Amino acid sequence: MSYAGNPNGQNQLWSRWTFTIRELGRLVLRQDVEYNAARYVRKLFGTAGAICVRRGKGHGRWVIEATVEGVAAHDPMLVDHVRLAFQRDFVAKGWGPMSVGTVEARVLAGSLQNGKPAEQLVSIPHIRLA
């Protein structure tokens, strides 16, 4: 069994999607943001490896980071589609039409299909020290 030095497998693709929300409408409770963000990411991508919801820098900002497998984050048309859907289906419905949502995507591991070697990702569990 050889993976030729690539622990991610031949066709595995991991990406990190960062969704940022600037509240200009109603205020939403943290527990509602966490619950709805998890549901939205699962509906959007089918699955999520990990998701983190936190308050962003400045007043009225939320940052949702999702690590997902199998989504072509290097495709600009897909990123634009996700950006429009996020604004329309998540931000406008949750915070109102005046709120603003942005999306950034980055490939963490896998082939970018640009002729260069595939990026690799090795993750280990967190170790908490007392």
Side-chain angles (χ1 to χ4, degrees):
M1 176 199 264
S2 173
Y3 56 82
N6 185 352
N8 295 308
Q10 186 176 5
N11 297 314
Q12 203 171 23
L13 181 65
W14 284 92
S15 57
R16 173 160 299 134
W17 294 75
T18 305
F19 303 91
T20 306
I21 302 160
R22 182 158 183 233
E23 295 176 324
L24 295 173
R26 62 185 84 108
L27 300 176
V28 181
L29 298 174
R30 180 181 189 89
Q31 63 194 24
D32 293 337
V33 176
E34 290 174 348
Y35 176 75
N36 289 318
R39 285 187 60 203
Y40 183 75
V41 168
R42 190 170 46 246
K43 180 182 174 187
L44 187 64
F45 299 124
T47 183
I51 186 168
C52 175
V53 177
R54 61 181 167 83
R55 279 290 197 175
K57 293 181 181 178
H59 179 69
R61 292 186 190 264
W62 289 97
V63 177
I64 302 164
E65 291 181 331
T67 304
V68 296
E69 181 183 7
V71 180
H74 58 282
D75 181 1
M77 290 178 61
L78 176 66
V79 175
D80 286 341
H81 173 74
V82 170
R83 185 177 292 122
L84 291 172
F86 178 67
Q87 177 65 39
R88 179 189 65 226
D89 300 333
F90 191 78
V91 177
K93 290 181 180 178
W95 283 269
M98 297 295 291
S99 296
V100 178
T102 60
V103 176
E104 295 176 20
R106 178 173 82 107
V107 173
L108 297 175
S111 175
L112 294 174
Q113 298 176 356
N114 61 0
K116 296 182 181 177
E119 296 291 326
Q120 296 183 22
L121 171 70
V122 177
S123 85
I124 58 171
H126 293 282
I127 300 173
R128 297 192 188 265
L129 300 175

